[in-house]
Amino acid sequence: MLRVKNLRKSYFMSEGAVPAVQGISFDIDEGVFLTLLGPSGCGKTTTLRCVAGLETPDSGEIYIGNEPVFLDGKGILVPPFRRGVGMVFQSYAIWPHMTVFENVAFPLVHGGFKAPKAQVKERVRKALELVGLAAQENRPAPFLSGGQQQRVSLARALVYEPKLLLLDEPLSNLDAKLREEMRLELRELVKRLKISTLYVTHDQEEALVLSDQIAVMSEGHILQKGSPREIYLDPRHPFVANFVGNANFIEGFVEPGKNGHPDFVVGTALGQMSCRLSSEIAKGERVSLVFRPEDVVIHTTAQSSRVNTFPGIIERLIFLGNRIYCEIRSGAFLLHGETNARTEIQQGANVFVEIPADYVRVLRAQ
Amino acid sequence: MEKVADVSLSSSGVQAAKSLREIISGNSIAVFFAWAACAVILLLTTLILWMSFSRGLPFESGFSPDNYAEVFGSEHFWTVVLNTVGVGLGTVAISIFFGVPLAWLLNRTDIPMRSLFITMLAVTVIMPGLVKAMGWIMLLSPQVGLLNRLVMGIFRLREAPFDINSLWGISFIQGLMLTPSMFFLISGPMRSLDSALEEAAEVVGANRLKIIVWITSPMLWPAILGGIIYIFMTAIAMFEVAGLLGGLSENRILATEIFLAVQPFEGSSEIKYGVAGVYGLLIMAPSLFALFFYFQSLKQAHRYAVITGKGYKPKDFPLGSLRYPAILFVLFYLALAVFLPFAVLLWASLLPSLRMPSVEALSLVSFKWYSEIHYLLGGFDVMRNTLLLVVGSSALVLFFSFMISWVVVRTKLRTRRLVDTISMLPHAIPGIGFAFALLIAGIMTAKWFPWVPFYNTVWIIIAGNVLNRLSYATRITNAALIQVQQELEDAALICGARKWVSMLRVMMPLIRPSLVFAGLWTALLVFREVSMALLLIGPKNKVLATQLWILWRQGDLSQASALSIVLILITGLLILVVQRATGKIGEPRSLPQLGGGG
């Protein structure tokens, strides 16, 4: 439904050209929800605006459906009002001088999706019903709450039934509780309409909840693209591991295994750790080991027989309600772990941490 | 569900080759008109320069320095220059004398009825400079001035103690006119000054006077300097007061010399366009120079402006028992600027001829002149011209300033800075300079393209007013458009609206209040504008303001007074409309140029 190839875009500031997007490529298949996830300034919004036609890329190709909307080589550049995409803006961009109805009807009345008068009313009502605002039709837009404006914005983007929906951090201006609600609602809606969606956010949780696929971006590049599960459980890049969820990083060298271990082990500041190595990593190579705090098992008693188990001292405990977050010092290494909220441990206690070999990702050191 | 989108997408594919041009064409309407306006500004400016080197019309005679020789060699030259500088400085002095204390009193003290006074200051615009001058002539002329006669009667003097027909008189009236400008120019900085800075001085033991002298004044100096430069520029380009008071031949200043050179029916024998060009340049040069300094001082002002963050509220200076003299001071200014001239005009308009109030005079009071108002207004043509002038100018000013602001604020074109700068030029070039250039353009049009209805039509006056008001209106539309978030416009494009649809349906309604304000304010200033109109009128394009001038010059003081009163009432009505429509009168932001219309 959407194909982006080698997209590049720089901004010209007084200090010169600042690259925002540095040659990224991705596809969205029919009905798929793809999220561009990354910190502010990573180029995700620029990418979205290029797809919408609000920014002109420096080079690359963009196809919506099978139609090219931007081809640098052939000088094709379809203006935004011809691209037929739906878009929800971060600020909602609800026109304050119009009522809810007028806002939603705009694309059908003044926009490029003109519909007969009789139909307009019906379609606006349907769109407002979709977002649960049918009763607010005649209210002036400024009298709406943030969440309601959000819904109007969504209704306006859906009323002309676009093939592709673009969402630019639509939830970031809502308060936490409302954000969670809207998140689920949005997910339901998009799944029901089977509409292909490009979503932009810096909120990893949002990305995990909503997406079929996530593309993690940093400094104008896509570092990894995959399902939420892949992104979280199998990060291929330290940045991805750290940006999506928390992670422990430890560096080391691949050494031959011992005591009948079939795999190689990695010598680290913690000690020797065994883990699953992919075939492309060779002996002697410098690697980064990545594991999640929630995968760390904290034992209060000695566990002599287990592998990847290291002694340590609890340096800090933070009670988070549903779990306890711990910082554990083991030798020179400070390790982050989590444990059940009902666990009885104290600061300064001696513990043993176990890092299950299956949960350790081995990345080539950058 | 994808039917609609399908149609639009497939059409985009077909026309894809055209579309690169199309995306530019979204802004191209704005770019076209913005540059059209800029081109006219530049062309007319060039024309003034050209004329100064030409003895006849452009293209008809070669370049020669003769005009300069004539101007600089004239026996009057240095008198004219010194007079002009004198009038400029005198005007500045009067406007500082009233404007600075007023700004302090009404912004930083606990003077009673503060907002009422501020509104009244803004509303002094109700009385055009021409009318004000007429009122003061009737008060202080050596021959008929009522105040002169009163003083002579009281002190048994043989000669009139005041002579309004002097450089002092010109400065006095122009100073009164421009005091509100000074007031509003320094009110902003005055208000944003952190009173903690004054309190700090109080804590270390400085008394009130010392605080004002050593703390408040120095910090406000950049704003006051900016005001001085602005007032000086406006003052030396103002024509109608000097024209009225000096009778064009006494008290000659640059602005009246231009007029003399091109309007021979007012005295001089031959039309000297080239000479007028030189005078025009002479007025422009210091203005351009001053504009540069004006911007510089504004930059400086930012450095000085000390505004603290949240919860900051300037502390009012307690006047105590001084508040009665303070109120008297404000009333004194209002009396001089509005009440006295208005009263004398009203009085004169009710009498067959001007005389001192007495029982006998009272018996002569009648509404005779008002019953002949149709004749005074100059008939249907003048009314129609005036209406066309006011409505046409406002509409065009709004249109062009919106287009210019669009280019400046809402595009990323590299030329937008240039457009911004050029659109500020009319601010520096006096209206009378543009009027002169338009006159030449008009004569050329009439000669070479007689079928173009421009010369001797109301459109030539409209053109002058549009150029003259463009800078100010552009400031307002710039500020308004900056405030509209980019995403509101983007959303319209995404909804399939073309650029001009989004301008018309989304952007213009969003900044409607500012547009209404700019439009009505322009209408008001255009309605009372007389300097440019006088240079551009012929038999067929008279307007109300010039009608008033003509009546006065014919010596019909009472009739002119009656017409003035009518003019004031119409202006008052317009102001009421502005106030109703926008509620903005009295806001310092909106009124930096009150007297600027002249």
Side-chain angles (χ1 to χ4, degrees), chain A residues 79-344:
Chain A
F81 60 85
R82 283 263 176 78
R83 295 198 180 187
V85 298
M87 182 163 174
V88 175
F89 292 85
Q90 189 172 8
S91 65
Y92 319 139
I94 294 301
W95 299 305
H97 60 295
M98 300 180 186
T99 63
V100 168
F101 181 90
E102 286 166 337
N103 262 285
V104 178
F106 186 91
L108 307 178
V109 179
H110 302 299
F113 310 95
K114 299 228 162 43
K117 231 176 184 172
Q119 270 188 38
V120 171
K121 218 161 182 179
E122 186 51 38
R123 290 175 66 179
V124 171
R125 177 154 312 139
K126 247 167 87 185
L128 285 172
E129 268 166 18
L130 274 182
V131 299
L133 268 185
Q136 314 282 342
E137 228 176 53
N138 294 315
R139 288 185 69 180
F143 293 131
L144 299 175
S145 69
Q148 286 171 323
Q149 289 196 24
Q150 176 63 261
R151 288 158 195 266
V152 176
S153 185
L154 195 59
R156 185 178 64 193
L158 293 173
V159 74
Y160 49 94
E161 300 172 352
K163 286 187 189 178
L164 179 65
L165 183 62
L166 307 175
L167 301 163
D168 182 11
E169 307 222 15
L171 305 180
S172 63
N173 282 339
L174 301 176
D175 60 59
K177 198 80 191 161
L178 197 58
R179 190 157 57 213
E180 264 175 54
E181 278 174 36
M182 275 304 286
R183 202 153 71 191
L184 292 173
E185 225 174 285
L186 192 61
R187 186 183 140 111
E188 284 303 301
L189 190 63
V190 172
K191 286 271 165 278
R192 190 145 50 93
L193 297 177
K194 296 195 184 63
I195 185 168
S196 314
T197 306
L198 178 61
Y199 190 93
V200 156
T201 184
H202 63 266
D203 183 328
Q204 41 129 342
E205 212 175 305
E206 223 168 272
L208 293 173
V209 170
L210 286 166
S211 317
D212 298 319
Q213 289 190 309
I214 297 176
V216 181
M217 286 188 71
S218 170
E219 293 175 358
H221 298 282
I222 290 182
L223 299 180
Q224 186 177 354
K225 185 185 162 194
S227 68
R229 203 183 152 82
E230 281 166 354
I231 293 286
Y232 191 84
L233 297 179
D234 189 13
R236 300 283 168 78
H237 193 284
F239 179 87
V240 175
N242 206 26
F243 192 78
V244 185
N246 295 314
N248 290 293
F249 291 91
I250 189 162
E251 301 215 326
F253 290 93
V254 180
E255 296 167 6
K258 56 176 185 179
N259 302 344
H261 264 275
D263 296 327
F264 293 102
V265 295
V266 177
T268 69
L270 269 178
Q272 280 200 327
M273 281 176 72
S274 56
C275 41
R276 294 182 194 284
L277 288 176
S278 64
S279 52
E280 64 220 50
I281 293 177
K283 197 182 114 184
E285 215 172 327
R286 209 160 76 89
V287 292
S288 263
L289 302 186
V290 181
F291 52 98
R292 302 265 178 214
E294 63 267 28
D295 291 332
V296 173
V297 187
I298 299 170
H299 302 282
T300 46
T301 52
Q303 308 281 321
S304 54
S305 63
R306 307 218 181 189
V307 291
N308 288 356
T309 303
F310 309 98
I313 298 169
I314 307 257
E315 271 208 351
R316 191 188 286 177
L317 280 177
I318 299 168
F319 182 73
L320 294 175
N322 57 354
R323 61 196 196 275
I324 300 172
Y325 179 82
C326 316
E327 282 177 18
I328 302 154
R329 180 160 303 280
S330 178
F333 190 71
L334 191 66
L335 191 134
H336 305 274
E338 282 176 14
T339 179
N340 187 294
R342 299 184 194 279
T343 315
E344 296 280 339

Side-chain angles (χ1 to χ4, degrees), chain B residues 321-339:
Chain B
S321 57
L322 283 173
R323 71 175 177 276
Y324 299 107
I327 293 174
L328 273 181
F329 182 78
V330 179
L331 291 178
F332 179 57
Y333 168 74
L334 289 172
L336 294 183
V338 181
F339 302 150

Side-chain angles (χ1 to χ4, degrees), chain B residues 43-57:
Chain B
L43 274 176
L44 290 179
T45 314
T46 317
L47 193 55
I48 301 174
L49 191 66
W50 189 335
M51 283 310 293
S52 75
F53 286 105
S54 170
R55 290 303 267 183
L57 288 178

Side-chain angles (χ1 to χ4, degrees), chain A residues 30 49 52 54 67 77 79 81-83 85 87 89 91 93-97 107 110-113 156 160-161 163, chain B residues 1-2 6 9 12-13 15-16 19-20 22 485 487-488 490-498 505-506 509-510:
Chain A
E30 189 84 47
R49 289 175 62 86
L54 297 170
E67 303 288 340
L77 177 60
F81 60 85
R82 283 263 176 78
R83 295 198 180 187
V85 298
M87 182 163 174
F89 292 85
S91 65
I94 294 301
W95 299 305
H97 60 295
H110 302 299
F113 310 95
R156 185 178 64 193
Y160 49 94
E161 300 172 352
K163 286 187 189 178
Chain B
M1 77 161 283
E2 286 165 359
D6 254 333
L9 278 177
S12 78
Q15 298 183 18
S19 53
L20 191 68
E22 227 168 57
Q485 228 186 356
E487 288 191 346
L488 290 171
D490 290 347
L493 299 181
I494 290 293
C495 288
R498 283 156 182 276
R505 298 282 173 187
V506 175
L510 281 176

Side-chain angles (χ1 to χ4, degrees), chain B residues 316-546:
Chain B
D316 290 339
F317 190 94
L319 285 174
S321 57
L322 283 173
R323 71 175 177 276
Y324 299 107
I327 293 174
L328 273 181
F329 182 78
V330 179
L331 291 178
F332 179 57
Y333 168 74
L334 289 172
L336 294 183
V338 181
F339 302 150
L340 272 177
F342 183 80
V344 75
L345 286 167
L346 190 63
W347 174 247
S349 73
L350 297 173
L351 293 173
S353 62
L354 183 64
R355 55 179 69 204
M356 290 292 281
S358 64
V359 180
E360 192 206 344
L362 271 176
S363 69
L364 294 170
V365 163
S366 79
F367 288 93
K368 175 169 170 274
W369 303 123
Y370 291 97
S371 65
E372 290 174 14
I373 201 68
H374 180 259
Y375 158 73
L376 296 182
L377 291 174
F380 175 73
D381 282 353
V382 173
M383 297 303 285
R384 191 200 52 204
N385 283 345
T386 309
L387 192 69
L388 187 59
L389 169 72
V390 168
V391 174
S393 303
S394 319
L396 287 173
V397 163
L398 275 192
F399 177 76
F400 281 109
S401 57
F402 184 78
M403 291 297 155
I404 289 172
S405 294
W406 189 277
V407 171
V408 172
V409 177
R410 302 207 76 91
T411 70
K412 291 171 188 159
L413 300 174
R414 287 195 190 157
T415 48
R416 68 188 201 276
R417 294 265 157 265
L418 196 59
V419 171
D420 197 26
T421 311
I422 296 174
S423 73
M424 275 302 281
L425 264 183
H427 202 88
I429 298 170
I432 198 157
F434 273 127
F436 165 69
L438 278 169
L439 180 69
I440 302 300
I443 292 170
M444 285 157 66
T445 319
K447 201 159 188 180
W448 296 328
F449 313 101
W451 42 271
V452 176
F454 188 59
Y455 186 58
N456 196 15
T457 71
V458 73
W459 291 103
I460 194 167
I461 308 180
I462 291 179
N465 275 293
V466 169
L467 290 169
N468 196 33
R469 305 308 323 164
L470 199 59
S471 304
Y472 179 54
T474 308
R475 295 307 102 185
I476 298 180
T477 43
N478 270 359
L481 276 180
I482 285 172
Q483 284 168 4
V484 180
Q485 228 186 356
Q486 180 66 39
E487 288 191 346
L488 290 171
E489 187 198 338
D490 290 347
L493 299 181
I494 290 293
C495 288
R498 283 156 182 276
K499 203 100 183 178
W500 65 268
V501 176
S502 87
M503 273 187 201
L504 208 66
R505 298 282 173 187
V506 175
M507 300 306 281
M508 295 227 308
L510 281 176
I511 64 164
R512 208 181 72 96
S514 293
L515 290 178
V516 169
F517 176 78
L520 288 172
W521 199 249
T522 305
L524 189 80
L525 293 177
V526 168
F527 177 66
R528 31 167 283 168
E529 202 289 326
V530 66
S531 293
M532 286 190 295
L534 278 175
L535 210 60
L536 295 172
I537 51 164
K540 286 187 185 159
N541 59 356
K542 289 187 187 131
V543 293
L544 263 186
T546 57

